[in-house]
């Protein structure tokens, strides 16, 4: 059955799609996660961080695939690593996502606070996405919100501002992989990720992906099986 897919074009000098963070190291994936897309739409719609039920319902309804349109001659995304160092004194405080300032704990203030964050540089990603039910918000609501967002939008981390319109039109296809092939028919080819549907795809890798979030707890919320391969 042919379905309608929202086409997103994510492009920026720097962007980050998150990943499994260990200690101070924050990596980036090659493709946006389900939780990242949920957050992007929620920000465009003007939802607040505590609107956990709405976030969870939207994430649970999403079906999507993503394609990295790499420049000719480049076979993998270009990753830039940012080493961040900040010395926090005893009385220094910072704002948090739960609306309360948080101070420094412990008795030692001489050592700097270090973080490592990876970014995709000069990246170009296309996403095809549909919603599995007709509940609000609909695909049309999401498209309008991307063009007139309630708040400024960013791609993964707040410094990563998009350089072009995110809503790129509509695709008609009967599956995520078919939607990717429809992009290829428009000249958009590259490495892609799509949900496993049980069909054999020659040359594609199949693996478990940890990209779901439990929006109530704010922690990892499960895995899904995906396929990764070339779309030409």
């Amino acid at each position: 059955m042919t379905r309608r897919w929202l086409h997103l074009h994510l492009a920026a000098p720097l962007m980050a799609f998150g990943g499994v963070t260990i200690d101070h190291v924050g990596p980036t994936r090659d493709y946006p996660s389900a939780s990242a897309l949920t957050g992007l739409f929620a920000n465009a719609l003007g939802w607040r961080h505590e609107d956990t039920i709405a976030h969870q319902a939207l994430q649970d309804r999403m079906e999507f695939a993503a394609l990295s349109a790499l420049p000719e001659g480049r076979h993998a995304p270009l990753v830039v690593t940012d080493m961040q160092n900040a010395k926090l004194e005893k009385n220094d405080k910072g704002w948090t996502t739960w609306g309360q300032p948080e101070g420094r704990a412990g008795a030692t203030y001489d050592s700097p606070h270090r973080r490592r964050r990876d970014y995709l540089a000069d990246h170009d990603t296309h996403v095809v996405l549909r919603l599995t039910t007709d509940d609000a918000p609909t695909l049309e609501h999401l498209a309008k919100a991307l063009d007139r967002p309630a708040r400024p939008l960013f791609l993964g981390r707040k410094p990563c501002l998009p350089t072009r319109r995110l809503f790129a039109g509509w695709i008609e296809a009967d599956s995520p992989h078919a939607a990717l092939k429809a992009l290829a028919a428009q000249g958009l080819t590259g490495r892609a990720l799509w949900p496993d549907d049980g069909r054999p795809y020659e040359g594609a890798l199949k693996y478990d992906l940890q990209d779901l979030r439990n929006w109530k707890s704010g922690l990892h919320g499960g895995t899904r099986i995906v396929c990764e391969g070339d779309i030409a």
Side-chain angles (χ1 to χ4, degrees):
M1 180 178 67
T2 300
R3 300 182 176 96
R4 196 182 197 198
W5 301 77
L6 176 68
H7 178 194
L8 285 171
H9 188 180
L10 310 180
L14 291 175
M15 55 185 171
F17 293 142
V20 178
T21 300
I22 299 176
D23 294 330
H24 69 287
V25 180
T28 179
R29 305 178 191 271
D30 294 345
Y31 311 96
S33 63
S35 58
L37 292 176
T38 301
L40 175 66
F41 288 127
N43 198 29
L45 291 164
W47 292 354
R48 297 178 62 84
H49 190 268
E50 58 265 29
D51 297 329
T52 56
I53 295 177
H55 283 75
Q56 191 67 56
L58 179 58
Q59 178 179 277
D60 293 345
R61 295 166 57 211
M62 292 193 316
E63 182 180 20
F64 70 94
L67 180 144
S68 292
L70 299 176
E72 185 176 353
R74 187 189 297 175
H75 303 290
L78 178 61
V79 177
V80 172
T81 298
D82 180 28
M83 298 299 298
Q84 303 170 357
N85 299 278
K87 184 178 180 181
L88 302 180
E89 301 294 344
K90 181 177 181 179
N91 296 324
D92 290 340
K93 296 182 179 181
W95 283 99
T96 62
T97 55
W98 51 88
Q100 296 293 330
E102 184 177 46
R104 178 81 185 267
T108 302
Y109 306 98
D110 294 334
S111 300
H113 181 63
R114 302 185 188 278
R115 296 199 311 176
R116 167 183 162 174
R117 294 294 183 263
D118 291 339
Y119 295 85
L120 299 172
D122 297 327
H123 205 57
D124 199 39
T125 297
H126 294 264
V127 175
V128 285
L129 178 144
R130 79 176 188 95
L131 300 175
T132 57
T133 69
D134 295 328
D135 301 328
T138 65
L139 279 182
E140 287 72 19
H141 290 146
L142 298 184
K144 290 179 181 179
L146 290 175
D147 277 344
R148 293 183 176 273
R151 293 189 289 266
L153 301 180
F154 51 89
L155 304 181
R157 298 190 182 113
K158 290 180 181 178
C160 304
L161 304 180
T163 54
R164 57 171 299 129
R165 185 186 182 193
L166 298 184
F167 173 57
W170 303 99
I171 297 291
E172 298 289 332
D174 61 3
S175 70
H177 187 263
L180 291 173
K181 297 295 285 185
L183 292 181
Q186 300 177 14
L188 300 172
T189 60
R191 193 75 175 171
L193 187 82
W194 63 93
D196 176 44
D197 57 9
R199 304 177 189 177
Y201 294 100
E202 184 177 355
L205 303 174
K206 184 182 295 188
Y207 54 89
D208 291 336
L209 180 64
Q210 301 83 16
D211 76 334
L212 300 176
R213 179 171 179 162
N214 182 317
W215 287 92
K216 184 176 182 179
S217 68
L219 303 175
H220 168 62
T223 62
R224 60 193 180 99
I225 303 176
V226 297
C227 297
E228 181 179 350
D230 295 324
I231 299 295

